[in-house]
Amino acid sequence: MASHLIPRVLQSIAVVFVVITLVFIGSRLIGDPIEAYAARNATQEAIDAQRDRLGLSDPMIVQYGNFLLGVVQLDFGDSIFSERPAWDEVAPRLWATVQLSLAAFVLILVIGVPIGVLAAIRRGSIPDLIARMLALVGQAMPNFWLGLLLIFVFSVQLGWLPTSGRGGFENLIMPALTLAGFGAAAAMRLTRSGMLEVLSNDYIRTAQAKGLANRTVIVRHALRNALLGLVTVLGIMLAQLLAGSIIVEVVFAWPGVGRLIFRSISLRDFPVIQVGVLVIALWFVVINILIDISYNFLDPRIRVGGDA
Amino acid sequence: MTRHWTRLRRSRLSRRSLLKASARAGVGAAGLALVGCGDDDDDQQSVAQAQQQDQDQQQAAQQQDQQQAMQQQAQQQQQAMQQQDDQAEQQAMQQEQQEQSAAEAQAQQEEEQAVADDNIDYNATAIGAYGAFPQILDQGSALARGGQSASNNYHFGAVFPLDPFGSAVPGGLAEWEFVGAEALIVRMNEGRTFHNGDAVTAEDIKFTIDRLTGKAEYNPEYNSAWTGELSWTGDNELVDENTLRIEQGAPSVDAANSLALGGFPVFPKNYLEEVGDDGYGQFPVATGSFKFVEWSPDEYIKSVRNDDYFNDREYAYAPRLPYLAGFEARLIPEIGARVSALEAGEVDLANSIPPDLAVPLGETGDYNVFYHPAQRGLHIKLPMTIEEDPYNPGQPNPWRDRRVRIAANLAVDVDAITQNIMTGRENYTYTLSSGQFGFPEELPEQRWGYDPEEAKRLLAEAGYEDGVETDLIYLAGLYTNDQLFMEAIAEMLREVGFIVNLIPEDISKFLGEARNKELTAPYLFPQSAGFTSIGSMAISVDSAATYEHRVEVLSDERAEVDRLIAEAKTEFDTERRKELLSDLVRIHYLEASWIFLFELVQTHVAASRLHWDPYFLQPPSVELWNLRSMKT
Amino acid sequence: MSSQDIPATEPLGGLLARRRSLVRRLPRGWPLLSVYLLIIGVFVVCGIFADWIVPHDPTDQSLVNRLQDPIWQEGGTSEHLLGTDGLGRDTFSRLIKGSQTSLLVIVTIIPGSLVLGTAIGLVAGWRRGLFDPFAMRLVEVQLAFPAFLFALLIAAMLGPSLRNVVVILILFLWAPYARLVRAEVLSLREREFVVAARTLGANDLRIMTQHLLPNVVNSVVILATLNVSTVIIAEASLSFLGAGAGPETISWGKMVAEGRDLLKIRFWLTGFPGITIMVLALVGNLLGDWLRDYLDPQLRNVQ
């Protein structure tokens, strides 16, 4: 197991490295905010001095080296706007986003998978039809629109839930539901189709022929095999929820890291962009490693990283 | 049409004066009622005065107060030698009084207001939803640009207060005295404190000016947002512990005014040096009418009333001690979500709501719509400094042809835009904003009205039968409905033969390009016009100097324009200055130097318990100190 | 009928390949199928011939006629069937014109990402070796790099435009295909028929195209049909954040975004394009389901 993991982790580090390199290049290409936000009568000398202070007048490769050196030492530079360490800007918002993402993921699991299984077992029944319609609508609904509709119905019309902001559990419900909407629908569909595929396989029919109880067959064989295909998709979902929460954060005024990066891009506050994306990339690769590990347990036929 | 300019001013003046008077009587009475309840009204004298007045005398007293206020104001300004002319306003006011019907209607309104003032809940708090927050809470920093109305404008206070026309008056933190055109002497008033209880000293004022002009020892590289406004300052020195002498490096009629601008920050030297720039950006301590309590960036900013605020509610000028006991600003970027939050009762005030949504809400009777005449005369600046047409290298820049510029002005139906897309209360603008400059009375008769046929003819005459290709740049999402009215303008320009490519641009990119003078296309000018007094003209010219001259005309008139600006800037005779400025505005307008649009009126929606009227002619934002919550 | 005749990139191609069986016996669920095809047909016709069939010029403004109600509401007119937007432009005409953009986005992004992703996934899963970890790390880079943020960076750099949206979405949507195909190939490569083919000396190309590809087609087709809605919604979402189609392009996503502020008082401004997006996505998904049932011979016998 460990011998499989080590190269896997090294590869993941390479992934993160590539991502932050791309971000470094991207955030240099959009330019820096020094001129835009310099004092109104600042002289060119003052602007140059400011650039020197931030190390922006160094050659790109030197800047890149300094950046990597900083990352290794967990020093990501100061935000240009708040002049505080960029990490201090990201950290408080990170928990907000992780909270939202995890809540959404739980909803995906709780809504998507069971309904998908149910729909597959009762294929063609009314519940199946409803589930499929739900899934289709869920996947066809842009999430900012879903968010606005939820606000309109549950906050304005019914007055059950607060419209926005972060606070208690009730603040979390609608953003999480909005973020989960698409994923839950996709999970429902994929669970259903995965189950149907497995159910049609020979070995299931064999098991059925052997006289195993229908329920046991489904749980022990079909679900396990259907999950194999799902783990990848669910894993990607969980990993991408973090990055995909920008719109939900905007609609529900959720003070998260997605919105921070979004705004930092428009402000050209590149130290903050870099840390923000680094965090998202780390989150992603860690979850991917977990997915690969879970493969080993789910399908012994696959030898993860064995000959890679 | 001809009275367009003066009418606005007159009606505002009358309402403000009356409000002031009624606030004295009404709030005084209310204050009396609340003395026993431990209300923070500390002006016992005016309470006592108010007590002696019975209801029947109130009307007369109001008139008297109003006259006194005006005289007092005029005296102060004459004494100060440099204040701009308010004679026009006084005359306007007298005329207004003759216009009985209007005046009576307003008096009635104000009277109702005075009665309603008895119902003010001084313990009430409110929550306001805003579309943008600043990155940091340091009002002095250029990095805090954007979203200040959600915070800094009420945490910070200037050195001097302002009258309703946006002119500085001595008082507040300090008194002033001019030493000719050489220096400004600032004498501190006693008992003024920062939010942390420290006294405001002359040394703090010195520190403030040094910090904002990049001379403070602790950090000479401070990125100040106020250098343009303070460009008149030279050296400054402490005469004694209560007196600061500021040399006028570049003599300016606006020296005192620049220290009174809305949101001008006064910093506590000791505290700021202790916490540093970054610490101060997270926890500002200042002299504003609200005290900062805490914030969560991107989430909320909590404040409480500064109960030690030195200008009480009977004070003649502004800002004053707030009515609200506390205020929380919430960041809700989506307009729809802001409205929903208001309807769900989570917030009491939703800022910057498009009229399409705001007006129906107001009509339900459950909400108050605040019409906020923002200090922004919107116009499209034309790239006249460039010789060559950026789209057809080798060809002359079409915008340098006056006929093309006039055609563009004739092509845009500004009234149709304001009537249909905006609130309908916007005024057409002939210059930065109508409150800004001396205004030539006859100019409206020469307005470039909507005339697409004439526009086509002019374009053809100028040799552009096949159209003029151009980009049109704006900052998407900065103003209410900006995408709508810019698309409408683009389409109107296309109708007469301009080939317009509309580009919504990113703010950082735009500001960088503007600073480097890389903008080669017409663009919607995105900055407020400075403050609204006639005298603040110099500020708006100065602060724009690094971008480009705001007053842009072609070479023939350029020298004349420069002369007028330079002369007006140091012309202490108010009548003469107004003439100079009128000439400037006239040349600029008749040259069709910009595409002239309108003065923005923003709409905000509030719960019915909240009331607000603009104190200033053109307030920078909803003035929080003037926001009143009625008992329900 | 061998399943290898079904090209992976063209779900409808498979349908045509089965023309003979269609003649012999109408496919199951054909009434619904014809409804799907009709809707898709209308969409495609609208997209191609938009400029000829719009009742009004979709860019024509009329400020006095702004925010008109649709015909069935009080105050609606037959002049503007679905009312007008904030600038008095005809919503119906804009919907028709918007189908052009959606069609363009779909026909470029879906095949682009599908071909790219499937090819990479096949090679990675079958050949493995050094290419596999490389490709999978590339997938991870793609997936780990938040596409939205990348799109925002690009928009901040170059300004919003449809071309950027297409390129970015292709670059980010191939990864799920690659990952899916590889995962399937990994379980297939140990299967008897693959082992047998290799034993019989089939070369890699033949195994990948003739044995592996047909077996992953179903999953790929399902993913591609899911992607129809993904693509439309991604474009809408980018427009929502100001990084989508440029200001001169009419797109449903932008219409939803533009009308969203007035959702409460003019629901149909977002409602119509929103519903149109949903219907198209719905039909795409339903057609995908149908294809799945129809193409998979095993599944057809399952109750």
Side-chain angles (χ1 to χ4, degrees):
Chain A
M1 192 71 213
S3 62
H4 298 158
L5 265 182
I6 290 164
R8 189 68 189 74
V9 168
L10 288 176
Q11 287 164 5
S12 298
I13 291 173
V15 168
V16 173
F17 172 78
V18 173
V19 169
I20 59 175
T21 302
L22 285 173
V23 169
F24 176 86
I25 295 168
S27 52
R28 289 307 183 283
L29 286 178
I30 58 173
D32 67 52
I34 308 300
E35 255 159 37
Y37 290 89
R40 284 173 190 163
N41 64 347
T43 57
Q44 194 56 46
E45 290 76 45
I47 290 171
D48 291 345
Q50 175 83 347
R51 285 226 168 87
D52 286 344
R53 208 162 56 83
L54 291 167
L56 290 172
S57 37
D58 297 336
M60 191 70 102
I61 190 75
V62 175
Q63 288 187 47
Y64 181 58
N66 288 336
F67 165 63
L68 289 184
L69 217 62
V71 169
V72 173
Q73 299 164 345
L74 298 182
D75 170 14
F76 307 102
D78 289 354
S79 158
I80 292 174
F81 286 83
S82 74
E83 297 176 330
R84 298 195 306 163
W87 172 250
D88 288 2
E89 293 288 319
V90 174
R93 292 165 171 99
L94 184 61
W95 170 234
T97 300
V98 168
Q99 194 185 20
L100 180 61
S101 300
L102 289 180
F105 189 64
V106 168
L107 283 177
I108 289 174
L109 291 181
V110 168
I111 297 171
V113 178
I115 296 182
V117 172
L118 197 76
I121 298 170
R122 304 201 190 285
R123 183 165 180 242
S125 68
I126 301 283
D128 179 31
L129 210 69
I130 294 172
R132 284 174 62 192
M133 287 312 292
L134 265 180
L136 289 163
V137 170
Q139 285 196 296
M141 190 95 103
N143 59 3
F144 53 86
W145 196 36
L146 175 63
L148 291 173
L149 286 179
L150 287 178
I151 289 175
F152 183 56
V153 173
F154 291 103
S155 300
V156 180
Q157 298 296 326
L158 301 172
W160 290 352
L161 295 168
T163 52
S164 59
R166 188 165 166 250
F169 176 71
E170 66 274 12
N171 288 79
L172 188 59
I173 297 172
M174 286 198 299
L177 205 60
T178 307
L179 187 56
F182 187 87
M188 209 186 286
R189 273 178 68 90
L190 289 171
T191 310
R192 180 180 175 275
S193 55
M195 282 291 286
L196 286 179
E197 188 162 1
V198 178
L199 282 172
S200 71
N201 277 344
D202 291 343
Y203 60 91
I204 294 282
R205 272 180 271 165
T206 313
Q208 270 172 329
K210 277 186 191 163
L212 285 173
N214 207 26
R215 192 176 177 77
T216 322
V217 173
I218 291 158
V219 173
R220 292 229 359 229
H221 295 270
L223 189 56
R224 184 189 159 114
N225 283 289
L227 274 180
L228 174 64
L230 264 181
V231 165
T232 314
V233 180
L234 288 175
I236 293 173
M237 271 180 202
L238 176 59
Q240 290 193 328
L241 282 176
L242 199 66
S245 61
I246 298 178
I247 286 180
V248 177
E249 288 179 10
V250 168
V251 171
F252 289 97
W254 191 263
V257 78
R259 225 173 77 202
L260 176 71
I261 298 175
F262 177 41
R263 200 193 48 210
S264 298
I265 287 175
S266 92
L267 292 173
R268 313 288 194 259
D269 196 350
F270 51 85
V272 178
I273 303 174
Q274 287 162 358
V275 195
V277 176
L278 176 67
V279 165
I280 290 175
L282 278 176
W283 166 271
F284 188 90
V285 296
V286 167
I287 285 171
N288 267 285
I289 292 175
L290 293 178
I291 296 169
D292 278 3
I293 294 171
S294 66
Y295 259 50
N296 271 344
F297 294 106
L298 287 169
D299 190 350
R301 282 182 297 180
I302 295 170
R303 303 180 304 274
V304 175
D307 45 0
Chain B
M1 203 63 206
T2 52
R3 293 273 177 93
H4 144 85
W5 150 265
T6 46
R7 201 182 300 140
L8 173 81
R9 293 208 113 181
R10 251 181 280 141
S11 65
R12 291 262 176 233
L13 176 90
S14 168
R15 281 181 61 206
R16 288 306 124 235
S17 310
L18 285 165
L19 182 65
K20 234 184 296 174
S22 63
R24 283 187 182 196
V27 176
L32 179 71
L34 284 161
V35 163
C37 314
D39 185 74
D40 37 62
D41 189 333
D42 56 353
D43 192 343
Q44 295 296 330
Q45 207 177 0
S46 83
V47 171
Q49 280 170 2
Q51 191 182 15
Q52 289 164 1
Q53 293 170 356
D54 83 42
Q55 287 287 328
D56 293 339
Q57 290 172 329
Q58 269 196 23
Q59 190 77 27
Q62 283 174 11
Q63 296 287 344
Q64 212 175 343
D65 274 5
Q66 177 189 335
Q67 294 291 347
Q68 280 170 3
M70 292 311 300
Q71 283 165 13
Q72 189 186 1
Q73 188 180 328
Q75 278 168 13
Q76 281 160 342
Q77 288 172 353
Q78 281 157 16
Q79 282 165 5
M81 267 177 51
Q82 63 89 45
Q83 269 306 308
Q84 80 276 10
D85 176 29
D86 269 344
Q87 271 187 355
E89 279 86 13
Q90 287 193 3
Q91 286 165 4
M93 186 198 71
Q94 282 156 12
Q95 281 171 25
E96 163 93 24
Q97 284 172 340
Q98 289 161 9
E99 284 176 23
Q100 285 298 322
S101 59
E104 266 170 27
Q106 281 180 355
Q108 182 101 26
Q109 205 182 346
E110 302 301 340
E111 206 164 345
E112 282 166 16
Q113 186 63 58
V115 174
D117 281 354
D118 287 337
N119 282 323
I120 293 177
D121 183 352
Y122 295 95
N123 296 316
T125 59
I127 301 174
Y130 292 81
F133 265 16
Q135 308 303 302
I136 48 173
L137 300 178
D138 177 359
Q139 177 82 328
S141 172
L143 298 177
R145 200 172 284 164
Q148 276 105 338
S149 64
S151 62
N152 304 15
N153 284 349
Y154 51 81
H155 293 143
F156 288 84
V159 184
F160 307 119
L162 288 160
D163 73 9
F165 310 107
S167 302
V169 285
L173 287 181
E175 308 295 326
W176 82 61
E177 189 186 313
F178 270 88
V179 184
E182 286 168 28
L184 181 73
I185 306 280
V186 178
R187 243 179 232 107
M188 304 308 295
N189 284 326
E190 298 231 337
R192 312 305 200 223
T193 55
F194 286 107
H195 294 156
N196 61 1
D198 290 356
V200 184
T201 64
E203 203 180 352
D204 291 313
I205 307 293
K206 175 179 165 54
F207 173 77
T208 296
I209 290 168
D210 287 346
R211 183 177 193 234
L212 293 177
T213 50
K215 292 176 195 157
E217 278 166 25
Y218 85 104
N219 178 16
E221 284 176 9
Y222 178 68
N223 197 351
S224 163
W226 296 82
T227 48
E229 287 79 355
L230 293 178
S231 60
W232 59 271
T233 57
D235 293 340
N236 61 62
E237 58 171 343
L238 289 170
V239 178
D240 59 56
E241 61 181 19
N242 271 326
T243 315
L244 177 71
R245 181 188 164 99
I246 310 168
E247 304 295 334
Q248 293 201 51
S252 165
V253 295
D254 285 298
N257 234 50
S258 69
L259 299 180
L261 292 171
F264 181 89
V266 174
F267 307 116
K269 181 170 191 281
N270 293 336
Y271 173 78
L272 209 153
E273 286 184 341
E274 185 188 316
V275 298
D277 282 346
D278 51 340
Y280 193 72
Q282 299 299 316
F283 200 107
V285 165
T287 63
S289 55
F290 279 87
K291 275 188 206 180
F292 172 78
V293 176
E294 61 164 329
W295 81 317
S296 173
D298 288 356
E299 207 175 348
Y300 60 80
I301 302 170
K302 288 180 179 164
S303 313
V304 293
R305 175 170 56 212
N306 178 6
D307 283 329
D308 300 324
Y309 196 62
F310 36 84
N311 296 337
D312 58 36
R313 296 193 188 105
E314 287 76 43
Y315 188 64
Y317 305 109
R320 304 176 192 147
L321 182 67
Y323 300 94
L324 289 175
F327 186 76
E328 178 181 341
R330 290 235 184 106
L331 180 59
I332 305 182
E334 277 292 299
I335 290 167
R338 282 208 289 283
V339 171
S340 300
L342 177 71
E343 288 182 297
E346 288 166 39
V347 301
D348 309 297
L349 169 66
N351 282 271
S352 301
I353 302 302
D356 288 329
L357 280 171
V359 173
L361 279 174
E363 282 166 359
T364 63
D366 297 330
Y367 301 95
N368 287 332
V369 179
F370 298 158
Y371 291 94
H372 163 206
Q375 42 172 311
R376 292 181 169 113
L378 292 177
H379 52 266
I380 291 167
K381 295 203 63 166
L382 302 172
M384 290 194 297
T385 45
I386 308 161
E387 300 272 344
E388 202 173 83
D389 184 354
Y391 304 91
N392 297 298
Q395 298 296 309
N397 176 1
W399 294 109
R400 291 173 76 87
D401 190 323
R402 180 169 179 258
R403 289 168 297 193
V404 174
R405 301 197 301 269
I406 293 175
N409 271 287
L410 296 176
V412 179
D413 190 351
V414 177
D415 291 342
I417 290 172
T418 56
Q419 291 300 325
N420 294 300
I421 300 178
M422 311 305 283
T423 64
R425 297 171 184 233
E426 291 81 4
N427 289 313
Y428 180 76
T429 174
Y430 298 85
T431 174
L432 286 177
S433 73
S434 58
Q436 192 87 23
F437 285 159
F439 187 79
E441 291 279 335
E442 84 291 355
L443 208 47
E445 286 160 26
Q446 290 167 278
R447 171 174 168 177
W448 306 119
Y450 175 57
D451 189 347
E453 291 311 313
E454 177 66 7
K456 283 179 200 161
R457 196 191 64 74
L458 278 172
L459 278 187
E461 187 187 306
Y464 296 101
E465 296 90 350
D466 301 332
V468 173
E469 193 176 354
T470 181
D471 287 352
L472 181 57
I473 297 170
Y474 73 106
L475 287 166
L478 205 62
Y479 305 126
T480 304
N481 279 348
D482 53 5
Q483 189 193 343
L484 279 184
F485 70 71
M486 286 310 286
E487 283 195 25
I489 289 167
E491 196 62 22
M492 287 168 176
L493 288 171
R494 287 184 194 117
E495 295 276 320
V496 304
F498 289 92
I499 302 156
V500 181
N501 179 27
L502 187 65
I503 303 175
E505 208 166 80
D506 191 289
I507 187 160
S508 296
K509 190 176 176 189
F510 178 88
L511 289 175
E513 285 177 353
R515 169 179 283 278
N516 290 333
K517 301 184 169 53
E518 284 163 1
L519 286 169
T520 57
Y523 58 94
L524 182 72
F525 195 66
Q527 241 186 343
S528 64
F531 219 69
T532 50
S533 79
I534 298 168
S536 66
M537 185 280 305
I539 293 171
S540 28
V541 176
D542 280 355
S543 59
T546 47
Y547 294 133
E548 251 185 79
H549 283 285
R550 286 192 182 181
V551 181
E552 185 74 69
V553 285
L554 273 181
S555 49
D556 289 351
E557 292 76 18
R558 181 75 248 175
E560 173 70 358
V561 164
D562 285 343
R563 185 188 67 79
L564 288 169
I565 291 175
E567 214 171 299
K569 212 166 152 181
T570 50
E571 179 55 68
F572 281 69
D573 179 81
T574 50
E575 270 309 301
R576 173 75 191 124
R577 188 167 73 241
K578 194 169 176 184
E579 278 171 32
L580 292 170
L581 296 174
S582 289
D583 289 347
L584 179 61
V585 169
R586 188 180 300 110
I587 293 176
H588 183 241
Y589 184 78
L590 295 179
E591 274 297 304
S593 307
W594 300 333
I595 301 175
F596 294 90
L597 300 176
F598 51 85
E599 293 169 28
L600 195 67
V601 173
Q602 291 193 320
T603 39
H604 315 291
V605 189
S608 58
R609 71 177 170 97
L610 288 183
H611 291 261
W612 174 72
D613 292 294
Y615 166 84
F616 292 121
L617 189 65
Q618 294 194 315
S621 58
V622 172
E623 299 138 304
L624 219 52
W625 61 266
N626 205 12
L627 196 61
R628 302 175 297 276
S629 176
M630 298 302 160
K631 287 176 192 154
T632 45
Chain C
M1 188 89 215
S2 70
S3 53
Q4 72 212 28
D5 293 344
I6 304 155
T9 53
E10 284 282 332
L12 284 174
L15 202 68
L16 294 174
R18 292 180 168 268
R19 206 192 171 94
R20 253 182 309 142
S21 58
L22 269 171
V23 174
R24 200 166 53 232
R25 192 187 62 167
L26 280 169
R28 236 174 42 171
W30 66 268
L32 277 175
L33 176 70
S34 46
V35 173
Y36 307 156
L37 292 179
L38 184 73
I39 293 174
I40 288 172
V42 168
F43 165 65
V44 172
V45 167
C46 281
I48 296 172
F49 301 104
D51 293 337
W52 287 276
I53 49 181
V54 287
H56 294 270
D57 181 341
T59 61
D60 244 7
Q61 300 178 0
S62 168
L63 296 186
V64 288
N65 290 323
R66 67 191 294 266
L67 297 178
Q68 279 195 358
D69 290 338
I71 185 162
W72 59 87
Q73 294 271 336
E74 210 175 314
T77 61
S78 56
E79 182 74 12
H80 300 288
L81 291 176
L82 303 184
T84 57
D85 71 1
L87 288 167
R89 298 172 298 198
D90 184 44
T91 309
F92 185 51
S93 304
R94 289 177 74 73
L95 269 185
I96 294 173
K97 183 74 179 169
S99 62
Q100 208 163 53
T101 308
S102 297
L103 189 65
L104 194 72
V105 168
I106 291 168
V107 300
T108 48
I109 295 173
I110 302 269
S113 50
L114 186 146
V115 171
L116 195 62
T118 306
I120 291 174
L122 270 180
V123 176
W126 177 247
R127 290 296 299 269
R128 312 220 55 186
L130 281 176
F131 183 73
D132 183 30
F134 173 76
M136 285 308 101
R137 295 303 84 76
L138 205 58
V139 166
E140 271 187 38
V141 170
Q142 303 281 290
L143 297 173
F145 198 101
F148 254 68
L149 299 175
F150 191 73
L152 292 171
L153 272 177
I154 299 277
M157 212 172 1
L158 304 172
S161 89
L162 202 60
R163 192 192 55 221
N164 296 344
V165 170
V166 168
V167 172
I168 290 165
L169 287 184
I170 288 179
L171 283 179
F172 280 96
L173 285 177
W174 67 263
Y177 292 98
R179 213 172 163 135
L180 182 76
V181 169
R182 174 185 173 268
E184 299 229 340
V185 170
L186 282 188
S187 18
L188 286 171
R189 55 185 283 137
E190 314 286 335
R191 293 279 192 85
E192 296 81 359
F193 67 94
V194 179
V195 176
R198 188 157 50 177
T199 322
L200 290 172
N203 65 16
D204 283 348
L205 189 67
R206 190 176 164 77
I207 292 176
M208 282 193 281
T209 56
Q210 308 242 318
H211 297 278
L212 297 176
L213 189 60
N215 279 288
V216 300
V217 150
N218 294 347
S219 322
V220 167
V221 164
I222 292 163
L223 192 56
T225 52
L226 288 180
N227 267 355
V228 170
S229 54
T230 308
V231 164
I232 297 176
I233 291 166
E235 188 262 324
S237 303
L238 285 173
S239 296
F240 179 87
L241 295 176
E248 313 295 335
T249 314
I250 299 170
S251 96
W252 294 338
K254 255 179 61 189
M255 289 172 73
V256 173
E258 282 169 2
R260 72 181 193 268
D261 291 344
L262 302 183
L263 183 71
K264 207 171 67 76
I265 57 165
R266 294 287 188 280
F267 174 79
W268 44 89
L269 283 181
T270 51
F272 288 134
I275 288 165
T276 314
I277 291 172
M278 276 176 60
V279 167
L280 190 64
L282 208 70
V283 168
N285 290 347
L286 287 167
L287 189 70
D289 276 0
W290 183 89
L291 273 174
R292 183 189 203 289
D293 292 353
Y294 186 71
L295 291 177
D296 196 319
Q298 285 180 317
L299 267 182
R300 256 194 299 169
N301 300 326
V302 175
Q303 196 48 49

